[in-house]
Amino acid sequence: EAAVNVLLLRAGLALLAWPIYLLSFLGIWEPFCRKVFFPFFLEKICAVHDKKSKKYKQELFRNLPEFRGPSGELRLLEIGTGSGSNFQFYPPGCKVTCTDINPHFQEGLSRNMKKNQHLHYEQFLVAAGEDLRQVPSGSVDAVVCTLVLCSVHSVSSTLREVLRVLRPGGAFYFLEHVAAEHSSWTYFWQQVCYPTWKLVFAGCCLTRELWKNLEEAKFSELKIQHISVAMPWMPVEPHIVGYGVK
């Protein structure tokens, strides 16, 4: 019965969003989403999400300086930098390499770089999380990924690349929204919204159980905490936050 309800509500939602489905069918939505809608929307959403998750991020990144390399420098790579809302949490002097599959975040990104001049910005690479071939193996002390693993094509390939670019003893930091408890209303609505949400929000998947991927990856030490970040009218409340050491 629940499955039938999910399908009926999915159909209803698809009807409401039919102009987007039509634009997608005509090949217009994806480029528009990538260039205009997603960067604009993400910046608005990030502003709300940043307020709600600030205390978790402060706590999460507090021990970043402990992962400085032997030279005393901290080389950090961020996957899916977007407009750079994490820069404020990185320690002074940190050398940052930004990567994103979408090059259309320039406006927000330059604004955040101006605001955070305590960092050294090394380079900006247009790259997917699954393919960081431009980054040499074992060359960074920390990798950061927030609200990105929901939309990569392959979580396990992305985590393999994370482990490749990290030096031994380096750390991977994450804060991601995940699937809710299966018996919950949130999970029911995540299933209802799934296809339309994925189309509208550039491939974002609502029901990934990312903690399982992290447990399967080969980290020598892994700290995961399940938390709630309440986002008004959005089925993305359940999150995981933590870090893994190579």
Side-chain angles (χ1 to χ4, degrees):
E1 192 189 330
V4 174
N5 289 339
V6 165
L7 288 175
L8 286 171
L9 287 163
R10 269 185 184 180
L13 198 55
L15 271 175
L16 288 173
W18 72 265
I20 293 177
Y21 279 90
L22 178 64
L23 290 173
S24 175
F25 177 72
L26 296 171
I28 297 166
W29 174 253
E30 277 75 3
F32 170 76
C33 179
R34 202 171 54 245
K35 287 184 185 157
V36 182
F37 174 76
F38 197 58
F40 168 80
F41 184 82
L42 199 69
E43 204 168 327
K44 300 284 172 273
I45 283 293
C46 272
V48 178
H49 191 274
D50 284 345
K51 280 197 184 85
K52 306 263 185 187
S53 61
K54 189 167 186 177
K55 61 174 190 218
Y56 296 113
K57 284 190 179 179
Q58 283 170 332
E59 186 57 42
L60 174 64
F61 295 125
R62 184 171 292 157
N63 69 344
L64 256 176
E66 291 170 23
F67 290 98
R68 289 182 200 281
S71 64
E73 289 182 337
L74 180 69
R75 294 157 307 166
L76 183 146
L77 170 86
E78 181 162 1
I79 297 175
T81 306
S83 55
S85 63
N86 288 328
F87 293 163
Q88 55 181 311
F89 302 107
Y90 300 158
C94 177
K95 294 191 160 179
V96 183
T97 296
C98 306
T99 72
D100 206 294
I101 196 168
N102 185 345
H104 300 287
F105 287 103
Q106 294 310 354
E107 205 180 305
L109 189 66
S110 20
R111 202 164 44 242
N112 271 320
M113 285 166 87
K114 280 197 194 84
K115 261 193 226 160
N116 293 283
Q117 295 188 356
H118 64 292
L119 306 175
H120 298 296
Y121 300 100
E122 300 272 88
Q123 51 182 342
F124 184 95
L125 306 172
V126 177
E130 299 92 330
D131 179 10
L132 300 169
R133 71 179 78 168
Q134 301 169 73
V135 183
S137 300
S139 65
V140 297
D141 305 303
V143 176
V144 171
C145 189
T146 61
L147 304 184
V148 172
L149 293 178
C150 56
S151 55
V152 296
H153 289 300
S154 163
V155 178
S156 52
S157 306
T158 302
L159 292 176
R160 262 200 303 280
E161 277 291 77
V162 165
L163 283 162
R164 180 186 67 77
V165 302
L166 275 175
R167 64 163 174 81
F172 170 59
Y173 289 81
F174 54 87
L175 186 149
E176 299 283 343
H177 68 82
V178 291
E181 183 64 50
H182 284 207
S183 59
S184 67
W185 273 111
T186 305
Y187 186 69
F188 175 80
W189 286 112
Q190 284 179 335
Q191 287 180 294
V192 168
C193 297
Y194 187 93
T196 300
W197 185 278
K198 191 174 179 185
L199 173 67
V200 174
F201 299 116
C204 171
C205 300
L206 287 169
T207 55
R208 287 188 174 169
E209 300 182 330
L210 295 169
W211 61 92
K212 292 181 178 173
N213 302 92
L214 285 156
E215 282 158 5
E216 282 160 17
K218 304 277 191 285
F219 289 103
S220 65
E221 184 190 332
L222 183 62
K223 295 196 168 7
I224 300 183
Q225 190 188 354
H226 288 256
I227 59 168
S228 276
V229 178
M231 296 290 288
W233 301 101
M234 296 175 82
V236 292
E237 193 171 315
H239 280 58
I240 54 169
V241 61
Y243 65 95
V245 179
K246 177 172 170 176

